């Protein structure tokens, strides 16, 4: 049997970023509602897609760094004749506004696809069918269309409901638990990577907590972990996605995204940790000069600076400071 699931992160419906329930046409969202946690298909689909985006950005960085030594002998020859022409005039204007260059926040470049997916008005499409492979039960086709074009991924997997051996205690405490495991392969640009995940949901009256761990194993001892946590208690609903990059078991980079809603507006908070450096960023989708942009805010209080995040159409971004 075939079922189609569609995730739409509409900018005009900011509650979707906090996990509004989709109608029974098969829609999914980043998280659940105050009453119901997100479906397993929703969380695994978003986890697989965002992990795929992150892996593609990591792959894109490798060729540029590996080609640098080879191109070094040629680069000075082409750069030297141009340098005297560009340095006198264009260069003086660049330092005057150094924060407007795309390299102002290089640590964000690899994550902007994720930010875009969380805030952009386009969305995901996730289609779940039977897998054509004998070793797997289901196949998930995931596509996303955002600022830098469209991306598609495919995942073949088996999903297993793990029995709750503490069922008697849960009944006594009026608490329900569900735990799912997933194991298979994620296909990115024709390459297959082993994946596995575990999802646990605890419900008690009108409250619930869920935690999901999704891991993609790469080559050379590297792996990408996606952790989704969600909780709902009374009028509070919290949702967070975290990403860890490990090399030979050691965490070399970590980032987390949390959603906050205030006065009908959704703000995305991002924290990154790499090479002992911890930084925080805030993102919002807002209108500016008649168009909608993703705004980046750095700092706090009077030191806060705002930037427009602009896609160059080729997978890169620039950050243009907005002076108020």
């Amino acid at each position: 049997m075939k079922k189609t699931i569609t995730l739409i992160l509409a900018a005009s419906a900011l509650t979707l970023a906090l996990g509004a329930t989709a109608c029974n046409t098969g829609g999914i969202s980043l998280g659940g509602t105050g009453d119901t946690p997100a479906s397993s298909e929703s969380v695994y689909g978003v986890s697989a897609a965002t992990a795929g985006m992150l892996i593609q950005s990591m792959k894109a960085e490798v060729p540029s760094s590996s080609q640098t030594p080879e191109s070094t002998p040629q680069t000075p020859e082409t750069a030297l004749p141009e340098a005297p022409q560009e340095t006198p005039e264009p260069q003086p204007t660049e330092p005057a506004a150094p924060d407007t260059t795309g390299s102002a926040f290089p640590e964000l470049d690899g994550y902007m696809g994720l930010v875009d997916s969380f805030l952009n008005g386009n969305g995901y499409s996730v289609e779940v069918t039977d897998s054509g492979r004998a070793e797997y039960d289901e196949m998930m086709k995931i596509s996303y269309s955002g600022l830098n074009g469209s991306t598609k991924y495919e995942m073949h997997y088996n999903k297993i409901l793990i029995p709750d051996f503490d069922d008697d205690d849960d009944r006594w405490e009026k608490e329900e638990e569900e735990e799912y495991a997933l194991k298979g392969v994620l296909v990115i640009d024709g390459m297959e990577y082993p994946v596995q995940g575990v999802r646990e949901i605890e419900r008690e009256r009108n409250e619930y907590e869920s935690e999901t761990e999704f891991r993609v194993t790469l080559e050379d001892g590297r792996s990408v972990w996606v952790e989704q946590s969600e909780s709902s208690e009374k009028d509070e609903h919290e949702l967070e996605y975290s990403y860890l990059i490990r090399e030979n078991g050691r965490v070399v980079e970590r980032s987390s995204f949390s959603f906050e809603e205030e006065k009908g507006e959704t703000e995305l908070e991002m924290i990154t940790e790499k090479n002992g450096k911890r930084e925080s960023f805030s993102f919002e989708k807002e209108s500016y000069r008649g168009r909608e942009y993703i705004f980046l805010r750095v700092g706090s209080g009077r030191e806060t600076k705002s930037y427009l995040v602009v896609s160059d159409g080729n997978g890169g971004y620039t950050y243009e400071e907005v002076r108020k």
Side-chain angles (χ1 to χ4, degrees), residues 18-39:
L18 289 172
T21 301
C23 57
N24 55 12
T25 58
I28 63 173
S29 58
L30 289 176
T33 66
D35 301 320
T36 308
S39 68

Side-chain angles (χ1 to χ4, degrees), residues 67-320:
Q67 291 173 5
T68 300
E70 298 175 6
S71 59
T72 299
Q74 298 178 355
T75 302
E77 295 181 15
T78 57
L80 281 175
E82 297 177 3
Q85 298 173 0
E86 293 183 0
T87 303
E89 300 211 14
Q91 290 289 12
T93 59
E94 299 262 343
D99 291 338
T100 62
T101 65
S103 61
F105 303 103
E107 66 273 33
L108 288 180
D109 293 345
Y111 289 99
M112 281 309 304
L114 275 65
V115 173
D116 177 25
S117 74
F118 289 142
L119 289 181
N120 191 31
N122 296 306
Y124 295 93
S125 175
V126 179
E127 184 181 4
V128 180
T129 65
D130 293 335
S131 175
R133 302 186 183 187
E135 63 270 36
Y136 300 113
D137 296 328
E138 296 184 350
M139 175 179 68
M140 183 181 289
K141 290 185 177 180
I142 313 144
S143 62
Y144 172 75
S145 178
L147 289 176
N148 267 319
S150 301
T151 54
K152 295 182 179 181
Y153 310 100
E154 185 178 292
M155 183 166 66
H156 296 263
Y157 60 94
N158 296 317
K159 190 173 69 176
I160 305 168
L161 174 63
I162 300 175
D164 181 6
F165 296 105
D166 297 326
D167 185 56
D168 293 338
D169 294 337
D170 293 340
R171 279 189 214 156
W172 178 259
E173 298 173 4
K174 296 182 180 180
E175 183 178 291
E176 299 178 10
E177 293 186 6
E178 294 179 14
E179 190 170 359
Y180 295 87
L182 175 148
K183 191 171 184 178
V185 292
L186 178 63
V187 184
I188 304 174
D189 294 331
M191 297 289 293
E192 296 188 0
Y193 302 94
V195 298
Q196 62 184 69
V198 177
R199 175 164 170 77
E200 183 176 355
I201 305 171
E202 294 184 3
R203 297 186 183 90
E204 184 177 3
R205 297 180 182 177
N206 296 326
E207 303 173 4
Y208 71 82
E209 291 184 359
S210 70
E211 292 186 359
T212 305
E213 186 178 272
F214 183 83
R215 182 179 73 191
V216 184
T217 302
L218 308 178
E219 62 280 352
D220 302 325
R222 295 182 302 160
S223 59
V224 173
W225 298 61
V226 184
E227 298 175 351
Q228 190 254 30
S229 62
E230 182 180 9
S231 65
S232 178
E233 182 178 357
K234 296 181 180 179
D235 296 329
E236 296 183 3
H237 184 218
E238 298 181 359
L239 174 64
E240 181 175 302
Y241 276 83
S242 299
Y243 298 81
L244 291 82
I245 299 175
R246 284 189 165 97
E247 292 183 0
N248 298 317
R250 184 174 64 91
V251 176
V252 295
E253 190 169 341
R254 182 194 308 265
S255 64
S256 63
F257 298 84
S258 58
F259 301 84
E260 293 184 4
E261 186 175 22
E262 185 176 350
K263 297 180 181 180
E265 294 186 354
T266 300
E267 183 176 68
L268 179 66
E269 296 284 346
M270 175 184 177
I271 297 176
T272 64
E273 296 179 37
K274 185 178 181 180
N275 298 327
K277 185 179 180 181
R278 178 185 173 95
E279 296 183 278
S280 61
F281 307 91
S282 297
F283 299 90
E284 285 186 88
K285 187 81 177 279
E286 294 182 7
S287 295
Y288 179 71
R289 295 178 179 175
R291 293 180 58 187
E292 287 205 333
Y293 290 90
I294 292 177
F295 272 73
L296 161 66
R297 290 187 173 82
V298 182
S300 60
R302 294 183 178 180
E303 301 300 321
T304 301
K305 291 186 178 181
S306 297
Y307 301 83
L308 289 179
V309 181
V310 181
S311 167
D312 63 8
N314 297 313
Y317 300 86
T318 58
Y319 309 90
E320 302 177 2

Side-chain angles (χ1 to χ4, degrees), residues 48-75:
T50 52
M53 294 179 203
L54 188 55
I55 291 168
Q56 283 183 305
S57 68
M58 292 165 59
K59 294 288 186 182
E61 293 175 3
V62 173
S64 60
S65 60
S66 61
Q67 291 173 5
T68 300
E70 298 175 6
S71 59
T72 299
Q74 298 178 355
T75 302

